[in-house]
Amino acid sequence: DAGVTQSPTHLIKTRGQQVTLRCSPKSGHDTVSWYQQALGQGPQFIFQYYEEEERQRGNFPDRFSGHQFPNYSSELNVNALLLGDSALYLCASSLRRKNTGELFFGEGSRLTVL
Amino acid sequence: KNQVEQSPQSLIILEGKNCTLQCNYTVSPFSNLRWYKQDTGRGPVSLTIMTFSENTKSNGRYTATLDADTKQSSLHITASQLSDSASYICVVSDRGSTLGRLYFGRGTQLTVWP
């Protein structure tokens, strides 16, 4: 049973470019959340997807957008990259009907913006 | 404002010793509190999840306590091992939505020395 998988694991971009990060949730999970974690900080909530729609959103600009596909996998897109977007981007999956259910994280995608 | 505060920010202990990490929160309404372990550059891994009615929950050498009246939680690590070196993150969920919003602490960085 595969857990949450993310790709790519590492990538380097330059300011102004666009990036797409991908996430496959744990088998049986239907909800995907994305987090940004700067070095030495706790994860910051970006948004959550369920039934292919954005359900909740944190305090992130519109440059951050996402998508969820019918197979529950998800993408995070960031446009017009800034140096401050350099971080570990974590995807987490869960089962929506279980509010206290386990939240499983992927290993993250390390984005460096030069 | 919903917040999660953790202390200490960092901690160094010798292998075999015990330690206790603290988490104070102001999240309301409260649904559950989770402790995660995050190795450097990796995704967080769940240690415990506690709801309002639970005071103590153990997972091997990890024991979490919750006092919902004072809004405090602690994570006690017994007989520490080198592999316990990691960041320990406290996460609190509210009941503001179908799938509670998660509030992350900044983590306590634990280093275990031989």
Side-chain angles (χ1 to χ4, degrees), chain A residues 3-20:
Chain A
V4 179
T5 58
Q6 293 186 242
S7 63
T9 55
H10 296 82
L11 70 167
I12 300 174
K13 294 284 187 178
T14 57
R15 281 181 298 173
Q17 284 190 310
Q18 178 265 343
V19 67
T20 297

Side-chain angles (χ1 to χ4, degrees), chain B residues 70-111:
Chain B
T70 61
K71 299 186 176 182
Q72 296 180 328
S73 176
S74 66
L75 180 69
H76 186 74
I77 303 175
T78 304
S80 61
Q81 300 176 359
L82 298 179
S83 59
D84 292 332
S85 294
S87 178
Y88 291 84
I89 303 173
C90 175
V91 183
V92 181
S93 176
D94 67 13
R95 292 196 300 255
S97 58
T98 303
L99 183 62
R101 171 76 182 268
L102 297 178
Y103 296 87
F104 285 73
R106 296 177 64 171
T108 291
Q109 183 64 47
L110 174 66
T111 303

Side-chain angles (χ1 to χ4, degrees), chain B residues 46-66:
Chain B
S46 179
L47 295 175
T48 64
I49 300 175
M50 288 187 293
T51 58
F52 185 89
S53 59
E54 296 175 297
N55 300 119
T56 303
K57 182 166 281 190
S58 292
N59 179 359
R61 294 180 297 102
Y62 302 99
T63 299
T65 66
L66 173 64

Side-chain angles (χ1 to χ4, degrees), chain A residues 27-93:
Chain A
S27 177
H29 283 185
D30 56 9
T31 302
V32 173
S33 302
W34 286 91
Y35 296 85
Q36 180 194 67
Q37 187 176 26
L39 202 60
Q41 305 291 318
Q44 297 293 316
F45 176 71
I46 302 175
F47 43 53
Q48 179 190 87
Y49 276 85
Y50 170 69
E51 289 186 337
E52 302 179 49
E53 290 189 17
E54 183 182 297
R55 300 292 179 169
Q56 296 184 63
R57 189 178 182 92
N59 295 324
F60 280 81
D62 293 343
R63 299 186 297 109
F64 289 78
S65 63
H67 189 77
Q68 185 179 36
F69 299 94
N71 66 353
Y72 306 120
S73 66
S74 176
E75 288 182 350
L76 164 65
N77 300 292
V78 186
N79 295 322
L81 285 168
L82 304 174
L83 295 180
D85 295 332
S86 295
L88 180 69
Y89 288 85
L90 294 166
C91 169
S93 75

